[in-house]
Amino acid sequence: MQGLDWLILGIYFAVLIAIGIWASTKRKKGGALFLAEHSLRWHHIGFSMWGTNVGPSMLIASASAGFTTGIVSGNYAWYAFVFIALLAFVFAPRYLGAKVHTLPEFMGLRFGQSTRNILAWYTIVTIVISWLALTLFAGGILIRQVFDIPMWMSALVLLFISAFFSMLGGLKAVAYTNVYQMILLIAVSLVLVIVGLDRVGGISALVDKVPSDYWVMFKPNSDEAFPWLPIILGYPVMGVWFWCTDQSMVQPVLAAKDLREGQLGTNFTGWLKILDVALYILPGVICFALFGDTLKNPDEAYLTMVENLFPVGMVGLVFAVLTACLVSTIGSALNALSTVFTMDIYVKKFNPNASQRRINYVGRIVTVIGAAVAILLTVAIDSIKDLNLFNVFQSVLSFIAPPMAAVFVLGIFWRRTTTRAANFALTIGTAFCLIVGVLYLWPPEWLSLPWPHFMLLSFELFVILAVSMVILSLTDKDPKQYSIPAPIREGWSKLAVTLWLILAIVMISLYVYFN
């Protein structure tokens, strides 16, 4: 980092804060913080969902995967369009029709207050650990390297910026700043790819310099890292959980101006996910072509490209982009955390008649408390040596997904599903999945099992929970009946349907071409 780099980084922060303050002035005085007064347009929704999904670890890990295996890891980006479409046409109409603030609130309408309580705490714990603590841990390492400050201070800086937007302008400020940050991300990443291709000698030269299987999306089942069958079967479990039922991801859709904007916004997210391969994975492939003989650690592929291809000034932009990824993810997570606790726990259980001003006040307090807990967890994770907890946790996500996916899928598509079955999956089912995950990741010496790929194992856990829920529902002699919230009828758009059909054709064509 030279003087020009620091100047550019400073300009980035100044513009970011200015946009956040401007966005907060757009919020009506006394209006709610959580759903942006249902004012988000399609571009706010698309950039916010994509921005929440992007993190510095994703940039680095994607480039590393591109360096070692080619574009096959892009399945986790391209396959997502199926489940984003499921959100647009199956889940979103019901969420918006029910006029809910949170997904636990929606499940409360479907299964009753007990399910809402379980899901609320489940969501809070998930947000604090996965979205906040581990994102801060990954980002704190980056900030610590640049500024040479302790981990707790690195986390505090990131949280201060993110919490500033969440507390000042709520989701509206987070969404507006996400647009600016994601445009910057696309621009800088695109420049890196173009410069890299120029250094290699063009696309044809790149194809010649890397193995031919680097351009294949489906690898044989004998492949240890990316066999095609576990991806086809296992990703839908994570896809439904992540794109359709996770509060941090879905909240921008809940804040849509109407269903049309929500469906157009999710469609925009689907188009943006195509860029994941070009902007995140392709730099790793280019790095293999340029530095494959000298680079020993694939995790250094992204920063190796930056160090060797970018001049002074552009390095500052890269760190601005990495910071943008962090602020986007953390800001969305803080807003989701505040929303769930305030609406599902404080208002529902303690103060049903709370004024909007009081609700906003509690939401801001929860944001501060959540930030403080996240810092403590981040420091605790950093104190553990010789264990890459972040990468381990990414595998654990495949064991967290099955209970949520089973409850939402059966709850929406099968009217006979009972509260008893849903609560069983969310409690006993979650404990069972986590135990299996621990045995899979840290197998004891006395346990020798021929474990399947973790994605296939995630699918098998989902099937076990779904079958268990069906049996419990059918054997429940006196089930309390709740109706499935009806989908909203107004706002369906021919344009949204047309754009989704075009996206489906493009995605199928890409899969055919790269297979």
Side-chain angles (χ1 to χ4, degrees):
M1 292 281 286
Q2 305 298 319
L4 183 58
D5 296 309
W6 288 109
L7 176 62
I8 290 175
L9 193 59
I11 293 173
Y12 156 74
F13 279 117
V15 174
L16 181 67
I17 292 172
I19 293 175
I21 294 173
W22 171 78
S24 67
T25 63
K26 297 292 183 180
R27 186 173 65 88
K28 297 176 183 177
K29 188 175 182 180
L33 290 172
F34 305 130
L35 295 186
E37 296 147 341
H38 292 285
S39 63
L40 296 191
R41 303 294 301 275
W42 62 270
H43 53 288
H44 299 129
I45 295 168
F47 278 126
S48 289
M49 291 185 69
W50 193 52
T52 303
N53 182 218
V54 175
S57 58
M58 180 178 175
L59 291 176
I60 295 170
S62 296
S64 176
F67 184 91
T68 56
T69 60
I71 67 170
V72 64
S73 61
N75 277 295
Y76 294 100
W78 286 2
Y79 197 4
F81 90 94
V82 176
F83 309 99
I84 303 174
L86 195 65
L87 169 63
F89 295 108
V90 176
F91 288 93
R94 287 175 167 81
Y95 294 157
L96 294 176
K99 293 181 169 55
V100 295
H101 287 79
T102 69
L103 302 188
E105 182 183 357
F106 178 83
M107 280 289 108
L109 297 176
R110 176 63 180 90
F111 292 117
Q113 185 61 35
S114 60
T115 303
R116 180 177 181 177
N117 291 339
I118 295 170
L119 260 182
W121 287 109
Y122 187 104
T123 302
I124 288 170
V125 171
T126 301
I127 291 174
V128 170
I129 294 176
S130 63
W131 285 108
L132 290 177
L134 286 162
T135 301
L136 284 170
F137 174 61
I141 293 175
L142 175 72
I143 301 298
R144 182 170 59 185
Q145 290 175 345
V146 177
F147 295 95
D148 193 24
I149 58 178
M151 173 62 76
W152 68 268
M153 194 177 295
S154 302
L156 187 63
V157 169
L158 292 170
L159 274 171
F160 177 80
I161 298 170
S162 304
F164 171 78
F165 300 130
S166 184
M167 293 172 66
L168 184 67
L171 183 60
K172 180 171 286 190
V174 172
Y176 278 55
T177 53
N178 277 348
V179 173
Y180 157 67
Q181 295 184 112
M182 293 306 103
I183 290 175
L184 180 64
L185 169 64
I186 292 172
V188 174
S189 299
L190 183 60
V191 170
L192 181 63
V193 170
I194 292 173
V195 173
L197 284 174
D198 181 69
R199 180 71 65 89
V200 171
I203 294 177
S204 58
L206 176 64
V207 173
D208 293 337
K209 291 182 179 180
V210 300
S212 58
D213 65 348
Y214 267 42
W215 308 108
V216 175
M217 292 299 291
F218 285 139
K219 301 225 172 167
N221 275 326
S222 57
D223 187 85
E224 291 185 4
F226 297 99
W228 70 268
L229 185 61
I231 291 176
I232 291 293
L233 295 178
Y235 184 82
V237 180
M238 294 185 67
V240 169
W241 166 67
F242 187 79
W243 293 105
C244 302
T245 73
D246 184 270
Q247 180 72 28
S248 297
M249 290 303 305
V250 176
Q251 186 142 331
V253 178
L254 299 180
K257 184 178 180 181
D258 51 37
L259 179 60
R260 178 181 183 274
E261 294 294 333
Q263 291 178 335
L264 289 174
T266 51
N267 177 262
F268 186 38
T269 304
W271 289 104
L272 289 172
K273 290 299 292 179
I274 296 178
L275 298 179
D276 285 11
V277 173
L279 299 182
Y280 307 153
I281 297 175
L282 191 58
V285 179
I286 296 172
C287 185
F288 179 85
L290 292 175
F291 311 106
D293 296 333
T294 57
L295 185 62
K296 303 302 181 184
N297 184 2
D299 290 340
E300 297 176 359
Y302 186 84
L303 293 180
T304 297
M305 290 281 287
V306 171
E307 180 182 357
N308 287 276
L309 301 183
F310 274 176
V312 173
M314 285 298 292
V315 175
L317 265 180
V318 170
F319 279 111
V321 163
L322 295 175
T323 307
C325 295
L326 285 163
V327 172
S328 177
T329 301
I330 296 168
S332 299
L334 283 174
N335 191 263
L337 172 70
S338 176
T339 305
V340 171
F341 184 90
T342 304
M343 303 308 298
D344 289 309
I345 296 175
Y346 174 74
V347 173
K348 184 65 179 178
K349 298 190 68 174
F350 298 107
N351 194 355
N353 299 317
S355 66
Q356 188 60 62
R357 182 177 180 182
R358 180 68 180 177
I359 290 173
N360 288 348
Y361 173 77
V362 172
R364 291 186 175 103
I365 295 297
V366 172
T367 299
V368 173
I369 294 174
V373 172
I375 288 177
L376 293 176
L377 287 174
T378 303
V379 174
I381 293 171
D382 187 52
S383 67
I384 301 175
K385 306 301 181 184
D386 302 322
L387 182 62
N388 193 333
L389 273 185
F390 190 82
N391 287 338
V392 169
F393 194 82
Q394 299 310 305
S395 300
V396 172
L397 292 181
S398 64
F399 301 104
I400 293 177
M404 287 281 281
V407 169
F408 273 81
V409 168
L410 266 70
I412 292 293
F413 292 103
W414 191 40
R415 188 177 299 277
R416 184 67 175 80
T417 310
T418 64
T419 301
R420 177 185 171 198
N423 291 351
F424 169 83
L426 291 173
T427 53
I428 306 300
T430 297
F432 172 67
C433 290
L434 291 180
I435 290 172
V436 171
V438 169
L439 293 177
Y440 179 89
L441 292 167
W442 298 282
E445 295 181 0
W446 53 267
L447 183 66
S448 178
L449 293 175
W451 291 102
H453 190 277
F454 72 89
M455 294 292 284
L456 188 59
L457 185 56
S458 181
F459 171 75
E460 292 170 351
L461 290 171
F462 170 81
V463 171
I464 291 172
L465 291 181
V467 171
S468 301
M469 289 179 66
V470 170
I471 293 173
L472 285 172
S473 297
L474 293 176
T475 56
D476 197 339
K477 296 181 180 180
D478 188 26
K480 187 172 182 180
Q481 293 296 323
Y482 294 93
S483 61
I484 301 175
I488 193 172
R489 299 299 180 187
E490 303 81 19
W492 284 77
S493 165
K494 290 183 179 179
L495 176 61
V497 174
T498 302
L499 289 175
W500 269 108
L501 288 174
I502 294 173
L503 177 60
I505 294 171
V506 169
M507 296 308 304
I508 293 171
S509 301
L510 286 172
Y511 266 103
V512 171
Y513 181 78
F514 286 105
N515 203 43

